[in-house]
Amino acid sequence: MRSNLFRFFISSLLLFIPEIAFSINENDNILRLKKEKKHDSLAMALTEKLNREELSLKEYHWLGLAHYENSNYVNGALYAERLLHLAKQKADTSYIIEAYRLLYIKDFLFKRYDKSIETIRENLPYFRKKDSLLCASVELVLGLVYFENGQLDSAFAVYDRMDPRVFKATTLELDYFTNYSQFLGYSGQYDSAIFYFKKKIPIEKRMRYHNALAMTYSDISHLYMEKEEWEKCQAYMDSAMARVPDDPIATAHPVIYKNNFLIYKKLGKLDEALEALDSINAYNQRLFDTNVDQKAQILNDAYRREVDLKREVTVKGAQLEISQRRTLWSVIGVLAMLLVLVIISGFYIYRHSQNRQRYIGMKQRLMRSQMTPHFIFNSLSSIQGMILNDDKSKAVNYLGKFSKLMRLILENSNNRVVPLDRELMAVENYMQLQKMRFENLFDFTLRIDETIDPENIEIPPMLIQPFVENAIEHGFRHVDRKGLLDISLTYKNDNLFCTIQDNGSGINRKKQSIEKRSLSTGITRERLALFAKEFNCKGDLKIDSDDTGTTVNITIPHQTHYD
């Protein structure tokens, strides 16, 4: 349930920004772009104005917000720092508060929780008596950041001293009950968590928040599942499923479907569990198709604008030539014909690009199973953090290794099988990147039996990397000792064996981690079975885990390069 808190964090942070942003009326293009929420165009217009003159506090605020809406948090934070400096000079409390707000959003998103907490504490003294509700909203965020930073006692301390009645008749009331319930559930206080979740139900019904209501029923069902009260668990899940939003890509879908899958799985109802899993896959496919359609629409709009611009230029050019030199009609005709040919060629190129986009989209489904979006986001965030901290040499080194890894993954995804040496190169590059990201968290070794010729053995791509990722992301981050990760490959009786051993916390530490990894493990077992049948050799996966670490033994289906 912990991951669900992010949506409440963002909604709480940006709650009052629109009211302050529109406090001054301006009948100009910038105000129109702001009202129409055209963030790209707004950022461009304000940047152009900044090149000519100093911006007002309001305009700096809008510029920072526009970059944040485009997920460009580094640039947004730079303008927030400028806003903070100017607002303090002018003693403008409202914009001091908003500048701090943008800064601790950035620190939170980069997982710099201690810095985010420090920024919020600097912000609190600036609140005036009339800002009581706004101040309370920031304290909501402070407790949430404590929770994400692993300081559960501090999170409870912040929320326990708050009076939820101050949020009455606002969306913050739902945020308070949601976050507090999540804290209680995470700490194992299931009955109290259920009590506060149930307080949300009449509010969400009254406010007609159907999406949030379905999520609440699902969260309560999840807590009853933890208590093994299956009748109540099933009843609340039925209520959640009955209220699944009509929007085919609503964010509530995957959470509700996943909880539904877990319930049926624990009850041993495999057919129903499979249906729930199919629903998750169908949602992911809808979301992927929607993103592809949106990108295709953007490309199509850009192409149409280009064609319209070319057509307009052609018409005006033709009119100018006719008025000045009628003797050039023949030349103009030739140019017009060439332009038509260019447009027709561009159209066919665009159609080819669309087909190519669909082909690339199919390959991206493989890539999504190979490299998690969290790793890519965290890597880019690490690079941004290094640049922000002026550690350029480290950033360049990290970026070089990251780009090499991306190139290997892209190249390997083109083939059903890859040479063993290229697979190991990608795994080693991934471990080096993670070691740079988590300094002093772990060491690793990669050993290959001398009887193995990695250049002449081909295996399915990305069989080893998911287990390496699990060891680093889930095994080493919850233990006091330094992590040791050992990967060894041996060859015996025509079988290729890979052993991945770590001294982490083991996979039984958190139930949520077990369920998450079981899905990827199931996919890996299916791949092993399919390739073992195709290559007519053995393919197997065995995992042993306890408090001292985890050992993964993979019998990898393979073929020699000259088979």
Side-chain angles (χ1 to χ4, degrees):
M1 294 190 298
R2 184 168 183 167
S3 62
N4 296 341
L5 291 180
F6 181 77
R7 67 183 190 276
F8 299 107
F9 178 83
I10 295 299
S11 66
S12 296
L13 290 181
L14 303 178
L15 179 67
F16 294 102
I17 287 178
E19 284 83 347
I20 294 176
F22 287 114
S23 60
I24 301 176
N25 292 321
E26 280 192 1
N27 298 318
D28 59 10
N29 182 54
I30 291 177
L31 181 61
R32 178 183 60 80
L33 294 173
K34 175 63 179 174
K35 289 183 176 180
E36 293 176 358
K37 297 182 179 181
K38 295 182 177 179
H39 308 299
D40 286 330
S41 300
L42 177 62
M44 186 179 301
L46 288 171
T47 302
E48 290 176 354
K49 184 175 180 179
L50 180 59
N51 292 332
R52 301 190 305 270
E53 59 186 271
E54 181 72 285
L55 300 181
S56 66
L57 297 182
K58 175 188 60 178
E59 289 169 334
Y60 271 117
H61 185 219
W62 286 2
L63 184 54
L65 282 175
H67 282 296
Y68 271 46
E69 292 290 353
N70 293 325
S71 299
N72 190 350
Y73 301 107
V74 174
N75 284 345
L78 292 176
Y79 293 116
E81 290 173 354
R82 178 63 176 166
L83 172 63
L84 180 60
H85 175 72
L86 294 176
K88 284 184 176 180
Q89 284 185 341
K90 298 180 180 181
D92 192 314
T93 304
S94 296
Y95 284 111
I96 290 175
I97 291 172
E98 295 309 321
Y100 274 120
R101 186 191 300 267
L102 293 176
L103 291 174
Y104 61 69
I105 289 176
K106 182 261 296 180
D107 290 327
F108 177 87
L109 293 173
F110 287 170
K111 298 188 177 180
R112 297 165 57 181
Y113 300 125
D114 290 334
K115 180 63 176 175
S116 183
I117 292 169
E118 179 184 341
T119 305
I120 293 174
R121 286 175 173 170
E122 290 179 9
N123 186 190
L124 289 175
Y126 287 95
F127 287 99
R128 299 154 296 187
K129 189 173 182 179
K130 66 179 182 178
D131 299 323
S132 58
L133 183 58
L134 185 59
C135 181
S137 74
V138 175
E139 288 187 325
L140 273 179
V141 176
L142 177 61
L144 186 54
V145 179
Y146 274 131
F147 176 71
E148 292 293 336
N149 200 31
Q151 299 172 259
L152 192 56
D153 291 340
S154 298
F156 274 120
V158 172
Y159 273 64
D160 287 340
R161 69 170 178 255
M162 298 175 69
D163 183 357
R165 290 176 296 181
V166 74
F167 304 126
K168 198 69 175 177
T170 70
T171 56
L172 293 177
E173 184 178 21
L174 288 176
D175 290 346
Y176 173 84
F177 287 130
T178 298
N179 296 352
Y180 197 42
S181 301
Q182 299 277 11
F183 297 172
L184 292 166
Y186 186 77
S187 63
Q189 303 178 55
Y190 300 131
D191 290 331
S192 297
I194 291 172
F195 173 78
Y196 281 99
F197 266 128
K198 287 182 177 179
K199 281 180 171 289
K200 294 177 56 186
I201 294 176
I203 301 172
E204 289 166 341
K205 286 183 176 179
R206 184 178 69 251
M207 301 179 78
R208 300 183 183 276
Y209 286 177
H210 304 300
N211 192 354
L213 180 60
M215 288 287 296
T216 299
Y217 281 123
S218 176
D219 288 336
I220 294 174
S221 173
H222 184 86
L223 290 169
Y224 276 123
M225 180 178 67
E226 297 288 350
K227 290 167 57 66
E228 297 186 353
E229 295 184 19
W230 302 111
E231 185 174 347
K232 293 181 180 179
C233 171
Q234 188 67 63
Y236 276 95
M237 180 49 64
D238 290 342
S239 297
M241 292 297 293
R243 291 169 174 80
V244 170
D246 293 332
D247 183 358
I249 59 171
T251 55
H253 283 263
V255 178
I256 296 173
Y257 291 149
K258 181 180 179 181
N259 284 344
N260 197 27
F261 165 75
L262 294 177
I263 292 170
Y264 283 128
K265 183 178 179 182
K266 287 185 176 292
L267 291 174
K269 298 181 178 181
L270 300 183
D271 290 339
E272 291 84 349
L274 184 59
E275 289 182 9
L277 192 59
D278 289 341
S279 298
I280 295 174
N281 293 333
Y283 169 83
N284 290 333
Q285 185 61 48
R286 290 196 302 271
L287 184 61
F288 175 78
D289 291 342
T290 299
N291 290 335
V292 170
D293 290 342
Q294 290 174 348
K295 291 179 181 178
Q297 185 61 44
I298 292 173
L299 290 174
N300 188 45
D301 292 342
Y303 172 76
R304 288 180 177 177
R305 287 195 298 270
E306 182 181 358
V307 171
D308 291 341
L309 180 60
K310 287 183 177 179
R311 185 180 295 113
E312 182 178 354
V313 170
T314 301
V315 172
K316 289 183 178 180
Q319 291 174 348
L320 181 62
E321 290 293 326
I322 292 172
S323 64
Q324 292 181 345
R325 302 179 64 182
R326 292 185 176 274
T327 57
L328 295 179
W329 267 107
S330 58
V331 177
I332 294 172
V334 172
L335 292 176
M337 290 179 61
L338 289 175
L339 182 61
V340 170
L341 289 176
V342 170
I343 294 175
I344 294 174
S345 299
F347 175 77
Y348 282 107
I349 291 173
Y350 173 71
R351 290 293 298 273
H352 176 73
S353 175
Q354 281 190 317
N355 293 332
R356 180 67 178 169
Q357 188 74 13
R358 295 191 186 97
Y359 173 71
I360 293 174
M362 295 174 64
K363 294 175 67 175
Q364 284 177 338
R365 299 177 192 176
L366 174 60
M367 290 172 60
R368 285 182 299 171
S369 67
Q370 294 172 341
M371 182 60 64
T372 65
H374 292 293
F375 169 71
I376 296 175
F377 175 79
N378 290 335
S379 296
L380 294 177
S381 297
S382 297
I383 296 171
Q384 286 182 327
M386 294 173 190
I387 296 173
L388 195 62
N389 293 327
D390 203 27
D391 196 348
K392 296 180 180 178
S393 61
K394 188 175 181 181
V396 170
N397 186 23
Y398 192 99
L399 182 60
K401 292 181 180 295
F402 178 73
S403 62
K404 181 179 179 181
L405 179 60
M406 290 297 98
R407 185 186 65 193
L408 285 170
I409 292 171
L410 288 170
E411 291 175 352
N412 289 350
S413 67
N414 286 323
N415 305 297
R416 296 183 67 251
V417 293
V418 296
L420 178 59
D421 61 339
R422 293 189 63 80
E423 177 72 3
L424 295 180
M425 189 184 306
V427 171
E428 185 175 13
N429 203 308
Y430 172 79
M431 291 190 293
Q432 290 174 348
L433 275 176
Q434 292 291 59
K435 189 172 181 180
M436 290 180 65
R437 180 178 163 220
F438 302 113
E439 294 183 1
N440 299 319
L441 179 66
F442 72 99
D443 288 322
F444 69 89
T445 57
L446 179 59
R447 298 179 289 115
I448 307 174
D449 193 292
E450 61 183 8
T451 62
I452 297 175
D453 182 4
E455 294 182 357
N456 288 322
I457 293 179
E458 296 180 334
I459 66 171
M462 300 307 292
L463 285 175
I464 301 174
Q465 186 271 338
F467 300 101
V468 174
E469 179 182 354
N470 283 340
I472 297 172
E473 294 287 346
H474 303 287
F476 295 151
R477 296 177 67 180
H478 305 288
V479 294
D480 296 329
R481 57 187 177 271
K482 186 171 185 178
L484 296 174
L485 179 59
D486 179 71
I487 303 174
S488 61
L489 287 95
T490 57
Y491 197 87
K492 185 177 180 181
N493 297 330
D494 292 331
N495 291 318
L496 179 61
F497 300 100
C498 177
T499 301
I500 306 167
Q501 190 171 15
D502 68 72
N503 65 340
S505 59
I507 63 175
N508 296 318
R509 190 172 185 275
K510 288 186 179 180
K511 293 183 178 180
Q512 288 178 314
S513 296
I514 297 173
E515 300 299 342
K516 180 178 179 181
R517 291 177 224 172
S518 65
L519 292 175
S520 62
T521 302
I523 294 172
T524 300
R525 292 186 191 277
E526 290 179 4
R527 293 183 68 203
L528 289 172
L530 288 172
F531 280 98
K533 184 176 181 180
E534 179 179 340
F535 295 161
N536 193 26
C537 62
K538 289 185 179 181
D540 193 20
L541 172 64
K542 293 181 180 179
I543 302 176
D544 296 315
S545 183
D546 56 31
D547 292 337
T548 64
T550 301
T551 300
V552 179
N553 292 297
I554 312 174
T555 305
I556 302 178
H558 65 284
Q559 63 183 10
T560 59
H561 184 67
Y562 34 77
D563 277 354

